[in-house]
Amino acid sequence: MSEYEELNSLLRNFKFSITDLTSFENHIENTLKGFPASKLQINKGRAVYRCRKYTLPVTDLYRFESQFSYRTDLQNINKFGRCNVPKNSIFYGSMLHSCHRNQMKPAQLAQFGYLTTIFETSSLLNSSEKEGIEVYGVAMWEAKQDFEVTIIPPNSILRANSGLANDLLSTHEQHMETIGAENDIREFYDILGKEFSKSMYGRPDSEYGISALFSSHAIHSGGGIAYCSVKTDHKGFNIALSPQKLDDNFVFVRAGLAELWKFGNHPYFKFIATSERDFGIPLIYNDINNNSRQDVFDHFKNKGIKPNYILEAFSKKIYTF
């Protein structure tokens, strides 16, 4: 049995036990050294977006880049994430797919860029039953230079539902053809793609084990990975970077404040305020207190939501500063 056959056998029967996780980690250190990975080039000027959800009511705004970027309290990171192991900090962001990016005006770029990352975080958007409002701090960085990240090929089932998934999968398949990859390697990537696309709702964090351990290896080796969103086949994809990769390759541009309203299964996104570039002083936001929500009211009224229901939602205090 080849090394990849042995690895695939382990993953097909994975129980997410300490024994299985340790065994997979050992395989990563040995079998996957120099593994054939497909690459995606991130060009200079491309934007990456990240959001943080506020607890309501909002008592103060995030004022520094460090509040948006990545965690530095490593001692408090005690669980697996999709791309990080315990005690390990990763920058999670979202980027727009280039084919959509090229068709958008600047104002649309920001809105769709932020929406992509909010989809990954929102409990309202990922539940047909929940209603209410969520408030987000959103931030944007721009690439200072061209660089590459490793592609995690999506599950082939997603190909028919998403142009982005099709493009990433096609790039990966072309690379596999070019290097003459054996079936064992292709099967490994197929299993990996399923791990990155599976829903984790109601599952223990240990079930991130395969994607987290592989990501840690790939990010440590190459600095970053790109993978499809598990929450939406929207216009963007996710990117996970080491803190060093973010700091070396991106410059912080601005932050913003956004509201997400949802009633009767009808969402509405409203951009409230933006800041200017961070020069090491607290970010200053514009228009926070001068924003009418008449458009929000009209949107839900046109959707058939009863005015009294909307007014009740509007009566709740969102900000206390």
Side-chain angles (χ1 to χ4, degrees), residues 1 31 34 36 49 61 138 165 176 179 185 192 197 226 231 233 253 269 287 299 305 314 319 321:
M1 181 181 291
T31 310
Y49 305 90
L61 300 179
V138 292
M176 293 294 101
I179 65 173
I185 295 176
L192 191 65
S197 62
K231 299 290 182 67
D233 57 0
V253 177
F269 178 81
D287 298 331
H299 172 78
I305 308 300
F314 279 15
Y319 307 100
F321 53 85

Side-chain angles (χ1 to χ4, degrees), residues 152-264:
I152 304 299
N155 188 325
S156 57
I157 296 175
L158 297 176
R159 168 171 255 159
N161 299 326
S162 168
L164 171 62
N166 181 64
D167 287 352
L168 290 179
L169 197 53
S170 294
T171 299
H172 171 74
E173 289 172 344
Q174 289 170 11
H175 181 66
M176 293 294 101
E177 288 295 327
T178 299
I179 65 173
E182 297 179 357
N183 289 335
D184 293 338
I185 295 176
R186 296 171 189 263
E187 183 184 356
F188 166 72
Y189 273 113
D190 186 57
I191 295 172
L192 191 65
K194 292 176 182 176
E195 287 299 314
F196 271 85
S197 62
K198 75 179 182 183
S199 171
M200 284 293 293
Y201 183 77
R203 298 172 184 259
D205 70 286
S206 60
E207 291 208 23
Y208 276 130
I210 292 175
S211 64
L213 287 168
F214 179 83
S215 297
S216 293
H217 170 78
I219 291 172
H220 179 74
S221 303
I225 60 172
Y227 58 102
C228 279
S229 168
V230 299
K231 299 290 182 67
T232 174
D233 57 0
H234 200 52
K235 296 177 171 61
F237 60 92
N238 294 323
I239 187 169
L241 304 171
S242 66
Q244 190 66 48
K245 192 78 167 181
L246 178 74
D247 294 342
D248 289 348
N249 292 280
F250 283 91
V251 60
F252 182 73
V253 177
R254 65 177 59 87
L257 183 68
E259 295 175 356
L260 176 66
W261 298 76
K262 181 181 165 222
F263 298 105

Side-chain angles (χ1 to χ4, degrees), residues 290-306:
N290 300 318
N291 231 294
S292 166
R293 289 179 178 76
Q294 185 62 46
D295 56 329
V296 182
F297 184 91
D298 292 341
H299 172 78
F300 289 111
K301 186 176 179 181
N302 292 336
K303 294 295 184 180
I305 308 300
K306 293 180 179 179

